Amino acid sequence: MEQVKKFLDCWGYYFLALLCAAVILLSALWTNQQRIQSQENAQALADESQRLQQAQQEESGLLWPTDGTILRPFSQAPVYEETFHLWQAHRGIDFSAKAEAAVYAMAPGRIALAEETVCIDHGGESRSLYRGLAKISVQEGQYVKAGDILGVAGKHIPFEGDQIHICVQMIQENKSIDFSGRLVDKIAK
């Protein structure tokens, strides 16, 4: 007991300081590990949410963007363009439309662009582009639901002939896709 008392008298302050430093260091390491694990859990949750959203979007149907029919289908292979006498791929789908016919959002999302082209960001690296609108009734940053009016048809689309129509392109993971098999219902008037 006498030796312990001598040790504490001589080294007690240093021992206590070392013990406190060890507790602080272990506490900091444990807190940092908890923070890292919390960040990993949050990222995993966000990744899973994005994956589910994309899967749900892929499984769900898309509304027709206008009352018309398909004029020109999607094509990755070059197709002869009679108007300009050249071969080119057609990465969108052309829909017939009357002048001033409403153009609808096919799926929900946020408007990323609302100029000559309307672009809707659907999340999960998925977006749709709408060309041929004479008037645009949405603004960048606005959230739209499937079926919301984006504007009206009527603007001539360069390099696509003289017939009034809208061209819609669906892009997923930076690749144009054929979405014609996912079109379900036309908007009820």
Side-chain angles (χ1 to χ4, degrees), residues 101-121:
V103 178
Y104 308 101
M106 296 188 308
R110 207 161 283 290
I111 303 295
L113 180 69
E115 294 175 9
E116 288 196 24
T117 298
V118 172
C119 176
I120 302 175
D121 183 349

Side-chain angles (χ1 to χ4, degrees), residues 65-165:
T66 191
D67 292 330
T69 59
I70 293 177
L71 285 176
R72 190 165 146 202
F74 176 89
S75 172
Q76 294 225 13
V79 177
Y80 188 68
E81 176 60 62
E82 289 190 34
T83 307
F84 298 98
H85 308 290
L86 55 98
W87 289 86
Q88 64 184 14
H90 188 249
R91 308 251 188 237
I93 297 176
D94 289 350
F95 295 86
S96 64
K98 295 177 183 172
E100 300 293 315
V103 178
Y104 308 101
M106 296 188 308
R110 207 161 283 290
I111 303 295
L113 180 69
E115 294 175 9
E116 288 196 24
T117 298
V118 172
C119 176
I120 302 175
D121 183 349
H122 303 289
E125 294 186 51
S126 176
R127 60 190 186 279
S128 56
L129 302 157
Y130 302 77
R131 294 181 186 92
L133 282 77
K135 296 177 189 166
I136 296 172
S137 57
V138 291
Q139 297 177 348
E140 291 180 22
Q142 178 182 343
Y143 179 81
V144 293
K145 300 182 301 287
D148 283 354
I149 295 177
L150 303 175
V152 296
K155 186 169 185 172
H156 173 73
I157 302 173
F159 308 110
E160 290 203 7
D162 294 328
Q163 185 176 9
I164 293 176
H165 69 283

Side-chain angles (χ1 to χ4, degrees), residues 72-80 87-93 169-180:
R72 190 165 146 202
F74 176 89
S75 172
Q76 294 225 13
V79 177
Y80 188 68
W87 289 86
Q88 64 184 14
H90 188 249
R91 308 251 188 237
I93 297 176
Q169 184 177 7
M170 180 68 74
I171 300 170
Q172 288 185 336
E173 297 177 1
N174 293 322
K175 293 180 186 174
S176 295
I177 63 162
D178 183 0
F179 60 90
S180 58

